[in-house]
Every structure is written in structure tokens, then in C-alpha cells.
Amino acid sequence: MKKRLSLIVLMLLLTGCNSDFSFSEISIGNANDAVQEFIEYAEVKNGNYLYLDGEKNMYVFINGIYVTQGNDAVYFSDFNVSAQQDTLNVFINQEYDSDYSNTKLKYQVLYKIKTVEKYDTINLFINGKPVSFDEIFGNEQLIVYEM
């Protein structure tokens, strides 16, 4: 518990007064048509997806809705973003539950990140560990740092 709290405090300090970006969770139904089309393509399998809508808006779609029988369901409990020079870091907490029918848990999430700056690199961290996006759609100029 102390580890998680420390991580949250560190992320808040890193993003504290940074006005170069903002982020929020949005409903899939409230996304624009292009983003909804991207989600329709991506939601057929679990994974981590990035969609770039122009040069300064991006969407992170995390899908864990499909559960293999006998395994715990994956859900997402926290999302945060920090920036360091030309790198944007995306942090997600992923947790597990054996109650597949718990409607309060987020098995699919969509976040919109609005940026002022243009970032050359986007890193994804799940539970503090670096991972890659499964697929990236949109702006071809993006460089993704793969771990």
C-alpha cells in the first residue's frame, strides 16, 4: 500500500504544475467518429492501443474485457501522465478480480490526452513496468520507445 501511495505522490509531483498537457477519461460513446472507428477495430482483442488525432491530441484505449476461463478478470484502477522534455510517459494500474460480473470495475478504458507540445516519444508503463503499445494509429511521425 505504501508503495502504491508513493507512486501516486511521485506522479502527482511530476505532473503537478505542468500545463503542457491535460488528460481525462472519456466515454467511448462520446468520442468522435474517427476514434470510435479505431475502437471498433481495436476492441476485438485485449491490449494497449494508442490513437493520434492530429498532432496534439491522442487517445489511449486499454482493453481487458476478454477473460480466459479460469483466469482472473483484468481491470484498470488508475491512469496518469507525466512529461519530460520531448517524452510523454503514460502510467496505468492494472489489477485482477475473480468476479467477472462486477460492473463497477473498468475492464475497458479510453483516455484523451490533449497536449500543447509535440512529443517524439511516448512510453507506456503498466504497474510501473515498461510495456509497448500493441498497436498505434494516426500520425506516422511518432517514435515509440519499446522496452
Side-chain angles (χ1 to χ4, degrees), residues 3 11 23 26 30 33 38 40 48-49 61 64 76 83 87 89 97 103 107 110 112 126-127 144:
K3 212 178 210 185
M11 286 188 281
F23 61 92
I26 65 169
N30 291 337
D33 290 342
F38 146 71
E40 286 176 18
N48 313 310
Y49 302 93
F61 176 61
F76 309 99
T87 300
N89 296 307
D97 193 330
T103 58
Y107 303 109
L110 176 64
K112 181 176 183 178
I126 295 183
N127 295 342
V144 177

Side-chain angles (χ1 to χ4, degrees), residues 42-112:
E43 73 180 350
V44 297
K45 60 183 177 180
N46 289 346
N48 313 310
Y49 302 93
L50 178 64
Y51 180 82
L52 300 160
D53 182 13
E55 289 191 17
K56 296 184 179 172
N57 288 324
M58 60 189 79
Y59 296 82
V60 176
F61 176 61
I62 308 297
N63 189 19
I65 201 164
Y66 301 105
V67 180
T68 305
Q69 189 170 3
N71 290 345
D72 286 342
V74 174
Y75 69 96
F76 309 99
S77 61
D78 193 30
F79 182 91
N80 209 331
V81 179
S82 72
Q84 297 172 332
Q85 297 173 354
D86 62 351
T87 300
L88 193 69
N89 296 307
V90 176
F91 300 92
I92 298 169
N93 282 348
Q94 175 177 298
E95 301 190 39
Y96 301 89
D97 193 330
S98 59
D99 181 4
Y100 305 150
S101 62
N102 188 341
T103 58
K104 293 181 181 178
L105 301 180
K106 297 176 184 178
Y107 303 109
Q108 265 185 346
V109 291
L110 176 64
Y111 290 92
K112 181 176 183 178

Side-chain angles (χ1 to χ4, degrees), residues 2-59:
K2 286 183 182 181
K3 212 178 210 185
R4 182 177 290 169
L5 184 59
S6 297
L7 180 62
I8 291 170
V9 169
L10 176 63
M11 286 188 281
L12 288 174
L13 288 174
L14 289 173
T15 60
C17 298
N18 193 341
S19 61
D20 293 341
F21 62 87
S22 65
F23 61 92
S24 61
E25 182 176 355
I26 65 169
S27 167
I28 293 170
N30 291 337
N32 67 41
D33 290 342
V35 174
Q36 286 187 13
E37 185 177 323
F38 146 71
I39 290 172
E40 286 176 18
Y41 169 82
E43 73 180 350
V44 297
K45 60 183 177 180
N46 289 346
N48 313 310
Y49 302 93
L50 178 64
Y51 180 82
L52 300 160
D53 182 13
E55 289 191 17
K56 296 184 179 172
N57 288 324
M58 60 189 79
Y59 296 82

